[in-house]
Amino acid sequence: MIHYQMDGKVALVTGASGGIGRSAAQAFAGSGASVVVSDVQEEKGEETVKLITDEGGKAAFQLCDVSDEASVQALVDRAVSEYGRLDFAVNNAGINDIAKDEYELDVWQRSLDVNLTGVMLCMKAEAEAMLASGGGAIVNTSSINGLIGNPMQPAYNAGKHGVIGLTRHGALKWAKDGIRVNCVCPGFIETPMTDIITKSAKLTNSMKLITPMDRIGKPEEIASAMVWLCSDAASFVTGHPMVIDGGATAM
Ligand code: NAP
């Protein structure tokens, strides 16, 4: 993992109790940023904090349901009260239960509440805090499901397309205010969300078949892109949906 110069900077990461979000929180801390680790899973979130502080990094946990506006505002307020400012935000919390029928209205609604409305609520509160300290960078987590069709999951598919739209919106809205907004579009990554697939050799092989690099991605391979997008190395990059998928969408 490449480390950037982020001493004195403050990052928040949603959905950081495991998977991609935990790796992102660790990567920001490894570059010197203080990190607010956030999730609906408190115990595992505190584990992420411990992993960071055991390595000498600075982190604090804040319980947050991204679909709840007051909870999101409390998260951003915590970053400012704990560390004085907010520079970077990774809106990564998401749900994707392939066992559920997303044509059922309550399932459809919950998916969009978390995967799309959650990103909008986070961007709104984060941008306000960033404006107060002169700018910042936001990275949203979309998916290759934001770029191509998925015949099984209408809500996840539509929500992740929506995240790319929101990213482009935010990039334009805050372009002159010093806030850059980008997103990542991961392919198939080994995380708790994909446990159900990685536990089956047959399903894992079918995922490899649609991935030219013939392997499943690692959370840190997404985290490193998130940190790069927030770093000064990406100072002219905004509105970009960065694909990290082992070549899956190149086919
Ligand atoms: P993960 O380990 O399940 O992480 C997602 C975290 O978000 C979980 O801890 C989850 O808690 C939490 N969460 C769910 N609802 C929330 C809410 N309302 N508010 C706050 N946190 C909430 O999965 P991951 O694979 O790292 O996923 C991270 C992001 O990457 C998601 O947006 C996902 O859609 C996206 N993504 C993943 C892949 C992949 O192959 N893994 C590919 C493309 C995109 P619960 O466990 O309680 O739900």
PDB file of all heavy atoms in Angstrom, residues 139-171:
ATOM      1  N   VAL A 139     -15.296  10.384  -1.754  1.00  0.00           N
ATOM      2  CA  VAL A 139     -15.298   9.209  -2.640  1.00  0.00           C
ATOM      3  C   VAL A 139     -16.518   8.367  -2.300  1.00  0.00           C
ATOM      4  O   VAL A 139     -16.700   7.967  -1.142  1.00  0.00           O
ATOM      5  CB  VAL A 139     -14.020   8.358  -2.477  1.00  0.00           C
ATOM      6  CG1 VAL A 139     -14.097   7.110  -3.362  1.00  0.00           C
ATOM      7  CG2 VAL A 139     -12.782   9.160  -2.847  1.00  0.00           C
ATOM      8  N   ASN A 140     -17.365   8.128  -3.277  1.00  0.00           N
ATOM      9  CA  ASN A 140     -18.523   7.255  -3.090  1.00  0.00           C
ATOM     10  C   ASN A 140     -18.201   5.863  -3.615  1.00  0.00           C
ATOM     11  O   ASN A 140     -17.366   5.709  -4.508  1.00  0.00           O
ATOM     12  CB  ASN A 140     -19.729   7.832  -3.839  1.00  0.00           C
ATOM     13  CG  ASN A 140     -20.105   9.216  -3.335  1.00  0.00           C
ATOM     14  OD1 ASN A 140     -20.055   9.465  -2.129  1.00  0.00           O
ATOM     15  ND2 ASN A 140     -20.473  10.105  -4.243  1.00  0.00           N
ATOM     16  N   THR A 141     -18.887   4.849  -3.067  1.00  0.00           N
ATOM     17  CA  THR A 141     -18.665   3.498  -3.577  1.00  0.00           C
ATOM     18  C   THR A 141     -19.839   3.084  -4.448  1.00  0.00           C
ATOM     19  O   THR A 141     -20.942   2.844  -3.964  1.00  0.00           O
ATOM     20  CB  THR A 141     -18.482   2.485  -2.430  1.00  0.00           C
ATOM     21  OG1 THR A 141     -17.423   2.934  -1.585  1.00  0.00           O
ATOM     22  CG2 THR A 141     -18.106   1.110  -2.983  1.00  0.00           C
ATOM     23  N   SER A 142     -19.583   3.036  -5.755  1.00  0.00           N
ATOM     24  CA  SER A 142     -20.562   2.482  -6.680  1.00  0.00           C
ATOM     25  C   SER A 142     -20.186   1.012  -6.884  1.00  0.00           C
ATOM     26  O   SER A 142     -19.868   0.295  -5.926  1.00  0.00           O
ATOM     27  CB  SER A 142     -20.586   3.285  -7.986  1.00  0.00           C
ATOM     28  OG  SER A 142     -21.509   2.725  -8.883  1.00  0.00           O
ATOM     29  N   SER A 143     -20.146   0.561  -8.121  1.00  0.00           N
ATOM     30  CA  SER A 143     -19.899  -0.850  -8.427  1.00  0.00           C
ATOM     31  C   SER A 143     -19.861  -0.973  -9.941  1.00  0.00           C
ATOM     32  O   SER A 143     -20.322  -0.062 -10.655  1.00  0.00           O
ATOM     33  CB  SER A 143     -21.070  -1.685  -7.877  1.00  0.00           C
ATOM     34  OG  SER A 143     -21.098  -2.983  -8.440  1.00  0.00           O
ATOM     35  N   ILE A 144     -19.380  -2.108 -10.437  1.00  0.00           N
ATOM     36  CA  ILE A 144     -19.572  -2.338 -11.879  1.00  0.00           C
ATOM     37  C   ILE A 144     -21.078  -2.470 -12.164  1.00  0.00           C
ATOM     38  O   ILE A 144     -21.502  -2.294 -13.295  1.00  0.00           O
ATOM     39  CB  ILE A 144     -18.768  -3.546 -12.430  1.00  0.00           C
ATOM     40  CG1 ILE A 144     -19.099  -4.847 -11.700  1.00  0.00           C
ATOM     41  CG2 ILE A 144     -17.277  -3.248 -12.380  1.00  0.00           C
ATOM     42  CD1 ILE A 144     -18.474  -6.087 -12.374  1.00  0.00           C
ATOM     43  N   ASN A 145     -21.872  -2.722 -11.102  1.00  0.00           N
ATOM     44  CA  ASN A 145     -23.339  -2.710 -11.237  1.00  0.00           C
ATOM     45  C   ASN A 145     -23.867  -1.302 -11.512  1.00  0.00           C
ATOM     46  O   ASN A 145     -25.051  -1.123 -11.778  1.00  0.00           O
ATOM     47  CB  ASN A 145     -24.007  -3.248  -9.971  1.00  0.00           C
ATOM     48  CG  ASN A 145     -24.164  -4.752  -9.999  1.00  0.00           C
ATOM     49  OD1 ASN A 145     -25.183  -5.273 -10.407  1.00  0.00           O
ATOM     50  ND2 ASN A 145     -23.121  -5.452  -9.562  1.00  0.00           N
ATOM     51  N   GLY A 146     -23.011  -0.302 -11.400  1.00  0.00           N
ATOM     52  CA  GLY A 146     -23.380   1.069 -11.760  1.00  0.00           C
ATOM     53  C   GLY A 146     -23.111   1.365 -13.223  1.00  0.00           C
ATOM     54  O   GLY A 146     -23.484   2.422 -13.721  1.00  0.00           O
ATOM     55  N   LEU A 147     -22.456   0.416 -13.879  1.00  0.00           N
ATOM     56  CA  LEU A 147     -22.043   0.639 -15.277  1.00  0.00           C
ATOM     57  C   LEU A 147     -22.703  -0.314 -16.252  1.00  0.00           C
ATOM     58  O   LEU A 147     -22.881   0.010 -17.431  1.00  0.00           O
ATOM     59  CB  LEU A 147     -20.516   0.453 -15.388  1.00  0.00           C
ATOM     60  CG  LEU A 147     -19.675   1.446 -14.575  1.00  0.00           C
ATOM     61  CD1 LEU A 147     -18.253   0.936 -14.433  1.00  0.00           C
ATOM     62  CD2 LEU A 147     -19.691   2.809 -15.251  1.00  0.00           C
ATOM     63  N   ILE A 148     -23.004  -1.516 -15.780  1.00  0.00           N
ATOM     64  CA  ILE A 148     -23.582  -2.535 -16.666  1.00  0.00           C
ATOM     65  C   ILE A 148     -24.856  -3.101 -16.023  1.00  0.00           C
ATOM     66  O   ILE A 148     -25.112  -2.871 -14.841  1.00  0.00           O
ATOM     67  CB  ILE A 148     -22.571  -3.685 -16.956  1.00  0.00           C
ATOM     68  CG1 ILE A 148     -22.133  -4.358 -15.644  1.00  0.00           C
ATOM     69  CG2 ILE A 148     -21.371  -3.162 -17.735  1.00  0.00           C
ATOM     70  CD1 ILE A 148     -21.219  -5.558 -15.834  1.00  0.00           C
ATOM     71  N   GLY A 149     -25.607  -3.848 -16.802  1.00  0.00           N
ATOM     72  CA  GLY A 149     -26.863  -4.409 -16.300  1.00  0.00           C
ATOM     73  C   GLY A 149     -26.663  -5.645 -15.438  1.00  0.00           C
ATOM     74  O   GLY A 149     -25.703  -6.396 -15.612  1.00  0.00           O
ATOM     75  N   ASN A 150     -27.587  -5.827 -14.489  1.00  0.00           N
ATOM     76  CA  ASN A 150     -27.598  -7.016 -13.628  1.00  0.00           C
ATOM     77  C   ASN A 150     -29.027  -7.550 -13.672  1.00  0.00           C
ATOM     78  O   ASN A 150     -29.940  -6.904 -13.153  1.00  0.00           O
ATOM     79  CB  ASN A 150     -27.188  -6.596 -12.209  1.00  0.00           C
ATOM     80  CG  ASN A 150     -27.376  -7.698 -11.177  1.00  0.00           C
ATOM     81  OD1 ASN A 150     -28.117  -8.655 -11.392  1.00  0.00           O
ATOM     82  ND2 ASN A 150     -26.730  -7.538 -10.041  1.00  0.00           N
ATOM     83  N   PRO A 151     -29.243  -8.695 -14.301  1.00  0.00           N
ATOM     84  CA  PRO A 151     -30.611  -9.180 -14.486  1.00  0.00           C
ATOM     85  C   PRO A 151     -31.316  -9.617 -13.204  1.00  0.00           C
ATOM     86  O   PRO A 151     -32.540  -9.757 -13.170  1.00  0.00           O
ATOM     87  CB  PRO A 151     -30.430 -10.386 -15.429  1.00  0.00           C
ATOM     88  CG  PRO A 151     -29.032 -10.826 -15.223  1.00  0.00           C
ATOM     89  CD  PRO A 151     -28.240  -9.611 -14.871  1.00  0.00           C
ATOM     90  N   MET A 152     -30.542  -9.794 -12.103  1.00  0.00           N
ATOM     91  CA  MET A 152     -31.114 -10.350 -10.877  1.00  0.00           C
ATOM     92  C   MET A 152     -31.540  -9.285  -9.867  1.00  0.00           C
ATOM     93  O   MET A 152     -32.396  -9.536  -9.036  1.00  0.00           O
ATOM     94  CB  MET A 152     -30.086 -11.261 -10.174  1.00  0.00           C
ATOM     95  CG  MET A 152     -29.455 -12.308 -11.060  1.00  0.00           C
ATOM     96  SD  MET A 152     -30.667 -13.468 -11.669  1.00  0.00           S
ATOM     97  CE  MET A 152     -30.984 -14.388 -10.186  1.00  0.00           C
ATOM     98  N   GLN A 153     -30.892  -8.113  -9.884  1.00  0.00           N
ATOM     99  CA  GLN A 153     -31.060  -7.170  -8.766  1.00  0.00           C
ATOM    100  C   GLN A 153     -31.395  -5.757  -9.238  1.00  0.00           C
ATOM    101  O   GLN A 153     -30.510  -4.908  -9.362  1.00  0.00           O
ATOM    102  CB  GLN A 153     -29.772  -7.143  -7.951  1.00  0.00           C
ATOM    103  CG  GLN A 153     -29.490  -8.482  -7.280  1.00  0.00           C
ATOM    104  CD  GLN A 153     -28.186  -8.404  -6.559  1.00  0.00           C
ATOM    105  OE1 GLN A 153     -27.127  -8.380  -7.164  1.00  0.00           O
ATOM    106  NE2 GLN A 153     -28.267  -8.318  -5.252  1.00  0.00           N
ATOM    107  N   PRO A 154     -32.680  -5.488  -9.487  1.00  0.00           N
ATOM    108  CA  PRO A 154     -33.053  -4.169 -10.010  1.00  0.00           C
ATOM    109  C   PRO A 154     -32.689  -3.011  -9.079  1.00  0.00           C
ATOM    110  O   PRO A 154     -32.242  -1.954  -9.538  1.00  0.00           O
ATOM    111  CB  PRO A 154     -34.576  -4.276 -10.175  1.00  0.00           C
ATOM    112  CG  PRO A 154     -34.999  -5.397  -9.273  1.00  0.00           C
ATOM    113  CD  PRO A 154     -33.847  -6.361  -9.282  1.00  0.00           C
ATOM    114  N   ALA A 155     -32.853  -3.191  -7.772  1.00  0.00           N
ATOM    115  CA  ALA A 155     -32.595  -2.078  -6.849  1.00  0.00           C
ATOM    116  C   ALA A 155     -31.096  -1.816  -6.705  1.00  0.00           C
ATOM    117  O   ALA A 155     -30.649  -0.671  -6.778  1.00  0.00           O
ATOM    118  CB  ALA A 155     -33.214  -2.376  -5.484  1.00  0.00           C
ATOM    119  N   TYR A 156     -30.329  -2.875  -6.513  1.00  0.00           N
ATOM    120  CA  TYR A 156     -28.873  -2.699  -6.377  1.00  0.00           C
ATOM    121  C   TYR A 156     -28.318  -2.082  -7.661  1.00  0.00           C
ATOM    122  O   TYR A 156     -27.514  -1.145  -7.631  1.00  0.00           O
ATOM    123  CB  TYR A 156     -28.211  -4.054  -6.090  1.00  0.00           C
ATOM    124  CG  TYR A 156     -26.755  -3.944  -5.685  1.00  0.00           C
ATOM    125  CD1 TYR A 156     -26.386  -3.501  -4.412  1.00  0.00           C
ATOM    126  CD2 TYR A 156     -25.735  -4.273  -6.581  1.00  0.00           C
ATOM    127  CE1 TYR A 156     -25.050  -3.394  -4.044  1.00  0.00           C
ATOM    128  CE2 TYR A 156     -24.395  -4.164  -6.217  1.00  0.00           C
ATOM    129  CZ  TYR A 156     -24.060  -3.732  -4.953  1.00  0.00           C
ATOM    130  OH  TYR A 156     -22.732  -3.618  -4.589  1.00  0.00           O
ATOM    131  N   ASN A 157     -28.786  -2.588  -8.796  1.00  0.00           N
ATOM    132  CA  ASN A 157     -28.348  -2.109 -10.108  1.00  0.00           C
ATOM    133  C   ASN A 157     -28.681  -0.619 -10.290  1.00  0.00           C
ATOM    134  O   ASN A 157     -27.829   0.201 -10.650  1.00  0.00           O
ATOM    135  CB  ASN A 157     -29.057  -2.936 -11.179  1.00  0.00           C
ATOM    136  CG  ASN A 157     -28.299  -3.088 -12.487  1.00  0.00           C
ATOM    137  OD1 ASN A 157     -28.770  -3.768 -13.396  1.00  0.00           O
ATOM    138  ND2 ASN A 157     -27.144  -2.484 -12.630  1.00  0.00           N
ATOM    139  N   ALA A 158     -29.929  -0.258 -10.006  1.00  0.00           N
ATOM    140  CA  ALA A 158     -30.355   1.140 -10.171  1.00  0.00           C
ATOM    141  C   ALA A 158     -29.656   2.044  -9.156  1.00  0.00           C
ATOM    142  O   ALA A 158     -29.227   3.155  -9.486  1.00  0.00           O
ATOM    143  CB  ALA A 158     -31.868   1.243 -10.004  1.00  0.00           C
ATOM    144  N   GLY A 159     -29.528   1.570  -7.926  1.00  0.00           N
ATOM    145  CA  GLY A 159     -28.880   2.376  -6.884  1.00  0.00           C
ATOM    146  C   GLY A 159     -27.432   2.681  -7.235  1.00  0.00           C
ATOM    147  O   GLY A 159     -26.968   3.814  -7.070  1.00  0.00           O
ATOM    148  N   LYS A 160     -26.715   1.685  -7.724  1.00  0.00           N
ATOM    149  CA  LYS A 160     -25.297   1.902  -8.031  1.00  0.00           C
ATOM    150  C   LYS A 160     -25.131   2.779  -9.272  1.00  0.00           C
ATOM    151  O   LYS A 160     -24.168   3.541  -9.364  1.00  0.00           O
ATOM    152  CB  LYS A 160     -24.568   0.556  -8.173  1.00  0.00           C
ATOM    153  CG  LYS A 160     -24.448  -0.214  -6.855  1.00  0.00           C
ATOM    154  CD  LYS A 160     -23.676   0.564  -5.793  1.00  0.00           C
ATOM    155  CE  LYS A 160     -23.424  -0.237  -4.515  1.00  0.00           C
ATOM    156  NZ  LYS A 160     -22.741   0.540  -3.478  1.00  0.00           N
ATOM    157  N   HIS A 161     -26.058   2.685 -10.254  1.00  0.00           N
ATOM    158  CA  HIS A 161     -26.050   3.660 -11.355  1.00  0.00           C
ATOM    159  C   HIS A 161     -26.285   5.069 -10.782  1.00  0.00           C
ATOM    160  O   HIS A 161     -25.643   6.036 -11.185  1.00  0.00           O
ATOM    161  CB  HIS A 161     -27.150   3.348 -12.382  1.00  0.00           C
ATOM    162  CG  HIS A 161     -26.736   2.388 -13.460  1.00  0.00           C
ATOM    163  ND1 HIS A 161     -26.559   1.045 -13.241  1.00  0.00           N
ATOM    164  CD2 HIS A 161     -26.474   2.580 -14.783  1.00  0.00           C
ATOM    165  CE1 HIS A 161     -26.208   0.450 -14.371  1.00  0.00           C
ATOM    166  NE2 HIS A 161     -26.143   1.364 -15.329  1.00  0.00           N
ATOM    167  N   GLY A 162     -27.209   5.147  -9.828  1.00  0.00           N
ATOM    168  CA  GLY A 162     -27.531   6.436  -9.217  1.00  0.00           C
ATOM    169  C   GLY A 162     -26.342   7.050  -8.490  1.00  0.00           C
ATOM    170  O   GLY A 162     -26.175   8.273  -8.481  1.00  0.00           O
ATOM    171  N   VAL A 163     -25.519   6.212  -7.884  1.00  0.00           N
ATOM    172  CA  VAL A 163     -24.341   6.738  -7.165  1.00  0.00           C
ATOM    173  C   VAL A 163     -23.384   7.433  -8.141  1.00  0.00           C
ATOM    174  O   VAL A 163     -22.792   8.474  -7.819  1.00  0.00           O
ATOM    175  CB  VAL A 163     -23.620   5.603  -6.387  1.00  0.00           C
ATOM    176  CG1 VAL A 163     -22.266   6.071  -5.856  1.00  0.00           C
ATOM    177  CG2 VAL A 163     -24.497   5.114  -5.232  1.00  0.00           C
ATOM    178  N   ILE A 164     -23.267   6.899  -9.335  1.00  0.00           N
ATOM    179  CA  ILE A 164     -22.400   7.566 -10.335  1.00  0.00           C
ATOM    180  C   ILE A 164     -23.024   8.908 -10.727  1.00  0.00           C
ATOM    181  O   ILE A 164     -22.322   9.927 -10.834  1.00  0.00           O
ATOM    182  CB  ILE A 164     -22.175   6.650 -11.561  1.00  0.00           C
ATOM    183  CG1 ILE A 164     -21.382   5.403 -11.135  1.00  0.00           C
ATOM    184  CG2 ILE A 164     -21.429   7.413 -12.665  1.00  0.00           C
ATOM    185  CD1 ILE A 164     -21.155   4.387 -12.235  1.00  0.00           C
ATOM    186  N   GLY A 165     -24.338   8.936 -10.875  1.00  0.00           N
ATOM    187  CA  GLY A 165     -25.015  10.201 -11.186  1.00  0.00           C
ATOM    188  C   GLY A 165     -24.822  11.227 -10.082  1.00  0.00           C
ATOM    189  O   GLY A 165     -24.508  12.399 -10.335  1.00  0.00           O
ATOM    190  N   LEU A 166     -24.986  10.786  -8.823  1.00  0.00           N
ATOM    191  CA  LEU A 166     -24.797  11.701  -7.679  1.00  0.00           C
ATOM    192  C   LEU A 166     -23.358  12.211  -7.608  1.00  0.00           C
ATOM    193  O   LEU A 166     -23.111  13.364  -7.248  1.00  0.00           O
ATOM    194  CB  LEU A 166     -25.087  10.943  -6.374  1.00  0.00           C
ATOM    195  CG  LEU A 166     -26.483  10.997  -5.783  1.00  0.00           C
ATOM    196  CD1 LEU A 166     -26.539  10.149  -4.518  1.00  0.00           C
ATOM    197  CD2 LEU A 166     -26.870  12.441  -5.459  1.00  0.00           C
ATOM    198  N   THR A 167     -22.428  11.334  -7.952  1.00  0.00           N
ATOM    199  CA  THR A 167     -21.004  11.711  -7.938  1.00  0.00           C
ATOM    200  C   THR A 167     -20.751  12.824  -8.949  1.00  0.00           C
ATOM    201  O   THR A 167     -20.075  13.825  -8.651  1.00  0.00           O
ATOM    202  CB  THR A 167     -20.141  10.471  -8.270  1.00  0.00           C
ATOM    203  OG1 THR A 167     -20.382   9.476  -7.270  1.00  0.00           O
ATOM    204  CG2 THR A 167     -18.665  10.806  -8.326  1.00  0.00           C
ATOM    205  N   ARG A 168     -21.302  12.654 -10.152  1.00  0.00           N
ATOM    206  CA  ARG A 168     -21.097  13.689 -11.188  1.00  0.00           C
ATOM    207  C   ARG A 168     -21.784  14.994 -10.770  1.00  0.00           C
ATOM    208  O   ARG A 168     -21.238  16.082 -10.949  1.00  0.00           O
ATOM    209  CB  ARG A 168     -21.653  13.190 -12.531  1.00  0.00           C
ATOM    210  CG  ARG A 168     -20.802  12.054 -13.087  1.00  0.00           C
ATOM    211  CD  ARG A 168     -21.268  11.617 -14.454  1.00  0.00           C
ATOM    212  NE  ARG A 168     -20.344  10.677 -15.036  1.00  0.00           N
ATOM    213  CZ  ARG A 168     -20.682   9.509 -15.594  1.00  0.00           C
ATOM    214  NH1 ARG A 168     -21.956   9.148 -15.674  1.00  0.00           N
ATOM    215  NH2 ARG A 168     -19.767   8.720 -16.099  1.00  0.00           N
ATOM    216  N   HIS A 169     -22.970  14.865 -10.170  1.00  0.00           N
ATOM    217  CA  HIS A 169     -23.679  16.048  -9.671  1.00  0.00           C
ATOM    218  C   HIS A 169     -22.813  16.798  -8.657  1.00  0.00           C
ATOM    219  O   HIS A 169     -22.602  18.001  -8.755  1.00  0.00           O
ATOM    220  CB  HIS A 169     -25.013  15.635  -9.023  1.00  0.00           C
ATOM    221  CG  HIS A 169     -25.491  16.634  -8.021  1.00  0.00           C
ATOM    222  ND1 HIS A 169     -26.117  17.805  -8.386  1.00  0.00           N
ATOM    223  CD2 HIS A 169     -25.364  16.679  -6.669  1.00  0.00           C
ATOM    224  CE1 HIS A 169     -26.378  18.514  -7.305  1.00  0.00           C
ATOM    225  NE2 HIS A 169     -25.934  17.857  -6.251  1.00  0.00           N
ATOM    226  N   GLY A 170     -22.313  16.056  -7.657  1.00  0.00           N
ATOM    227  CA  GLY A 170     -21.520  16.687  -6.594  1.00  0.00           C
ATOM    228  C   GLY A 170     -20.252  17.325  -7.150  1.00  0.00           C
ATOM    229  O   GLY A 170     -19.848  18.413  -6.710  1.00  0.00           O
ATOM    230  N   ALA A 171     -19.630  16.638  -8.105  1.00  0.00           N
ATOM    231  CA  ALA A 171     -18.394  17.172  -8.698  1.00  0.00           C
ATOM    232  C   ALA A 171     -18.662  18.545  -9.310  1.00  0.00           C
ATOM    233  O   ALA A 171     -17.860  19.482  -9.153  1.00  0.00           O
ATOM    234  CB  ALA A 171     -17.872  16.209  -9.762  1.00  0.00           C
TER     235      ALA A 171
END
